[in-house]
Amino acid sequence: MTSTTARVALVTGGSGGIGSSVVERLVQDGFAVAVHYSGNASRAEELAAKVRGTGGQAITVGGDVADEAAMAAGFDTIEEEWGGLDVVVNTAGIMLLSPIATLDLADLDRMHRTNIRGTFVVSQLAANRLRAGGALINFSTTVTRTRFPTYGGYVASKAAVESMTLVLARELRGRDITVNAVAPGPTATPLFLDGKDQQTVDELAKAAPLERLGTPDDVAEAVAFLAGPARWVNGQVVYVNGGLA
C-alpha cells in the first residue's frame, strides 16, 4: 500500500468526455484518483499517465459497472493502493435515443443495465466503503425536466438514478457521507454529439440563456464542489445546464 495524505476518488467512466475532465479537476484539488474504464484500457492509462506526469497520483481500474464482483475488485485495488476511498463519482453511462414507440427493447435493456444496475452496484459499494467525510456523486440528466422527444428510455434510466440517490442520502444518516446527483444539460461530449446534425446542435446551444453548450469542464466544476467544500449539500439533484430548465 502506498502511503498518501491525499483524499482518494474513484471516477467511473473516467476515460470518457465528462469523466476525464472530472479526473483532471479532482487532481487539481489534490485527490489521488482511480480512473475507471470498461472498454478502453489504453485511454484510461493514458489519462492516468498524464496525471502522474504532472506530479499527481493516479491508477486505473477496469470492469463493467453492472458487475458487482468486478467493481468490488476495483474498490479492493484502490484500498490496497491508497488505504481507503473518500469520493466516488459515477459518470459511467450510455445513451441510446429513439421514440418510445419504436425503441428496440434490447437497447432499453442495455441502458438500464449500465445506467440503473451499474449505478446501483457502485452506489451500494460506496455506501459500504466510503470513509467518513466522503461523497458519492451520481449522474442524471437535465432531460428529466426538459423532456425532449426520443430520450424516453434514457430518461427512464436516469430518473431511477435520481430516486435511488435521494433515498441513499437518507439511508446514510449518521455516516457523514453526502450523496447527490449531477444533472448536466447539453454538453459537448462525443456521447452527446453522436448522431446529431449541426442544426440540432446549434438549436440546443441556443436553448439555454447563456446560449452555448456546456463543456465537460463546466460539469467537472460542479462535481469538484460536491466532492470537496459542499458538505451541507446532501440528497440533491444539481442541474448543471446554463439555466436551460
Side-chain angles (χ1 to χ4, degrees):
M1 181 179 73
T2 303
S3 176
T4 178
T5 57
R7 296 185 80 207
V8 177
L10 164 65
V11 180
T12 72
S15 61
I18 289 175
S20 59
S21 288
V22 169
V23 167
E24 293 180 336
R25 183 63 183 80
L26 292 180
V27 168
Q28 288 179 26
D29 285 348
F31 279 84
V33 181
V35 182
H36 164 268
Y37 64 90
S38 178
N40 197 327
S42 60
R43 190 164 61 186
E45 182 51 46
E46 182 180 345
L47 177 58
K50 178 182 177 182
V51 169
R52 294 191 295 267
T54 59
Q57 299 182 73
I59 60 173
T60 62
V61 294
D64 176 1
V65 288
D67 182 336
E68 64 272 30
M71 293 312 299
F75 275 68
D76 291 344
T77 297
I78 294 163
E79 291 174 352
E80 290 164 5
E81 180 73 19
W82 289 314
L85 184 59
D86 303 289
V87 170
V88 172
V89 185
N90 222 353
T91 76
I94 60 174
M95 179 174 67
L96 303 169
L97 303 183
S98 168
I100 291 171
T102 56
L103 177 63
D104 186 326
L105 294 180
D107 287 344
L108 181 70
D109 289 344
R110 284 179 59 202
M111 284 190 287
H112 282 206
R113 175 176 169 78
T114 298
N115 298 352
I116 297 179
R117 181 185 169 91
T119 299
F120 198 101
V121 164
V122 174
S123 295
Q124 188 175 68
L125 286 163
N128 286 290
R129 304 279 195 110
L130 283 172
R131 296 186 283 210
L136 169 63
I137 302 156
N138 288 325
F139 263 68
S140 180
T141 173
T142 289
V143 189
T144 57
R145 297 176 70 178
T146 57
R147 304 178 183 92
F148 292 146
T150 75
Y151 282 76
Y154 178 67
V155 166
S157 71
K158 290 302 188 177
V161 168
E162 291 187 8
S163 295
M164 75 174 77
T165 298
L166 303 189
V167 168
L168 182 56
R170 287 147 181 84
E171 290 179 343
L172 295 186
R173 174 182 292 275
R175 293 273 307 280
D176 189 24
I177 294 170
T178 62
V179 186
N180 295 288
V182 169
T187 305
T189 66
L191 178 69
F192 171 77
L193 295 172
D194 183 44
K196 294 182 175 68
D197 60 34
Q198 190 59 49
Q199 180 180 351
T200 299
V201 171
D202 291 343
E203 289 173 355
L204 288 168
K206 293 176 182 176
L210 294 179
E211 294 190 334
R212 67 173 176 85
L213 293 178
T215 69
D217 288 347
D218 291 325
V219 180
E221 284 295 334
V223 171
F225 176 62
L226 295 172
R231 300 306 304 164
W232 197 232
V233 181
N234 188 32
Q236 304 298 317
V237 180
V238 179
Y239 291 91
V240 185
N241 60 27
L244 180 62

